[in-house]
Amino acid sequence: MYTGRIYRFKDMARWTRFESLFFIAFITAWVAAYYFLDVEWLMIPWTPMALIGTAVAFVIGFQNNAVYGRIWEARKIWGGIVNTSRTFGMFVQDMVTNEYASEPKSEAQLKEAQKVLTYRHIAWMTALRYAMRQLKSWETTSQHKTNTEWGITTPEAKMSLEEALKPYLNAEDLKYVLSKGNKQTALLYLQSHHLRMLKEQGCLWEFSFLQLESVLEELFTLQGKSERIKNFPYPRQYATLNHYFMWLLLLLLPMALVPQFIEIGAGIAETRPVLGSAFIWLSIPIYVTVAWIFHTMERIGRTGENPFEGTANDVPISAIARGIEIDLRENLGEAANEIPEPFPVEYGVQF
């Protein structure tokens, strides 16, 4: 997620420089052909171009609206994970007690059980964010040169999942989780089994057990919603056709725009011959501006299609998960030097 006040113009220009250079070269070639060669007959009336431009604008608007909906839904899901995680941490600390235990445990044993449950929940968030960062075949935005050249990557790309889970799980649980395809689901199963064991030992009242199980159910629901967005792309027929329509417009536009400038220049030439003859060259900045706007709006839509891919405009699930971890561990009473720092913000980007 980009956290700066605004996108700086030079950053936006750098992000789109390859396309901008192409537009400049493309329209310059067309203008040179019209200026130096006898090709004024090669033109398209403005009416069909206006119809195509209107259709493309509608499609781009539809795409961007749908993409924003995906991003906002993803953010709401992870906002739900924040709230449910805090509830889980509170329940664990207040419900795991000796109140109904037939063989009361020591205070240290209860604290250890609370810590194991809390750490396993942190491991669940870690496994979930790693699953969300795994690239799908349709996720190509993060591999684009203008996105990789900044030299910043997600925390998940810097450390393996096994290494990330080690601080939160014992050897047996870690081996079990890594052997499963859906590791986040395996962790919630382990949580449920552990809660049942505590209930059987009397460390959890039956009503408290049901309350905690309902929290796990909510976590399963939120996990499923997050996985749905990750595993179901923005429909490719819309994304692909929109991309083709936009390029069709930009490639045909010079045949309507340049002749229009020639016509205007002919009128000016009656009183100002030099200006009228050179007026055709003014079509270059006009075309580049129009083409840049259409292409950039379409590209913004493509960039936001996959809110967990790991680009500068995605939902910052790594930062969210680390924030929850800090909250939970602080409320366990851990020392500040034992708790990890938030992930750093680089170039105004928070992952």
Side-chain angles (χ1 to χ4, degrees), residues 43-59:
M43 61 179 295
I44 298 176
W46 267 111
T47 300
M49 289 306 305
L51 291 174
I52 295 174
T54 302
V56 171
F58 271 114
V59 174

Side-chain angles (χ1 to χ4, degrees), residues 26-266:
F26 180 68
I27 188 60
T28 301
W30 270 104
V31 171
Y34 276 102
Y35 190 79
F36 295 110
L37 305 175
D38 184 21
V39 293
E40 292 186 15
W41 54 269
L42 186 57
M43 61 179 295
I44 298 176
W46 267 111
T47 300
M49 289 306 305
L51 291 174
I52 295 174
T54 302
V56 171
F58 271 114
V59 174
I60 291 177
F62 172 80
Q63 179 189 32
N64 288 354
N65 186 60
V67 165
Y68 180 80
R70 286 171 62 85
I71 294 173
W72 186 240
E73 183 184 3
R75 182 61 188 88
K76 289 194 295 183
I77 291 168
W78 276 81
I81 290 174
V82 171
N83 298 336
T84 308
S85 297
R86 290 170 176 162
T87 301
F88 181 78
M90 178 186 67
F91 281 0
V92 165
Q93 290 190 42
D94 290 341
M95 292 179 174
V96 178
T97 67
N98 279 323
E99 186 176 358
Y100 299 97
S102 55
E103 297 181 8
K105 296 181 179 295
S106 66
E107 188 67 22
Q109 288 176 315
L110 290 176
K111 289 291 185 183
E112 181 61 24
Q114 294 168 3
K115 180 178 178 180
V116 169
L117 287 167
T118 302
Y119 270 43
R120 193 182 289 123
H121 179 75
I122 297 171
W124 171 79
M125 289 189 298
T126 303
L128 182 59
R129 64 182 171 88
Y130 267 79
M132 295 300 99
R133 296 296 194 202
Q134 291 180 357
L135 289 181
K136 301 292 184 179
S137 60
W138 56 84
E139 294 179 336
T140 58
T141 301
S142 60
Q143 307 305 310
H144 194 283
K145 177 176 173 56
T146 52
N147 290 324
T148 59
E149 65 188 1
W150 301 94
I152 54 175
T153 57
T154 63
E156 292 76 21
K158 301 174 182 177
M159 181 185 295
S160 68
L161 175 60
E162 180 178 359
E163 189 177 355
L165 290 177
K166 277 183 180 179
Y168 310 114
L169 301 174
N170 59 41
E172 182 182 352
D173 285 355
L174 181 62
K175 181 179 179 181
Y176 171 80
V177 169
L178 293 176
S179 69
K180 304 301 179 183
N182 192 314
K183 295 167 180 57
Q184 55 271 25
T185 296
L187 283 160
L188 289 182
Y189 271 84
L190 284 176
Q191 290 285 64
S192 182
H193 299 335
H194 193 175
L195 292 175
R196 184 190 64 187
M197 181 189 71
L198 291 172
K199 178 181 74 71
E200 291 170 350
Q201 293 173 349
C203 296
L204 266 181
W205 182 35
E206 287 195 10
F207 181 75
S208 299
F209 171 72
L210 293 176
Q211 282 283 93
L212 283 166
E213 286 287 296
S214 69
V215 174
L216 294 186
E217 180 183 5
E218 178 63 17
L219 292 174
F220 266 123
T221 300
L222 293 168
Q223 173 187 319
K225 290 179 178 180
S226 188
E227 290 170 340
R228 181 191 69 223
I229 293 179
K230 176 67 177 181
N231 298 324
F232 184 81
Y234 179 72
R236 307 321 297 156
Q237 67 272 27
Y238 290 116
T240 303
L241 291 177
N242 184 31
H243 190 65
Y244 291 160
F245 292 162
M246 181 271 299
W247 276 109
L248 178 64
L249 170 67
L250 300 187
L251 294 177
L252 292 178
L253 185 58
M255 288 187 282
L257 185 66
V258 178
Q260 186 72 29
F261 272 76
I262 293 175
E263 183 179 340
I264 296 173

Side-chain angles (χ1 to χ4, degrees), residues 70-71 74 133 229 304-310 313-317:
R70 286 171 62 85
I71 294 173
R133 296 296 194 202
I229 293 179
E305 286 176 6
N306 308 300
F308 301 129
E309 184 178 349
N313 300 295
D314 289 351
V315 177
I317 59 176

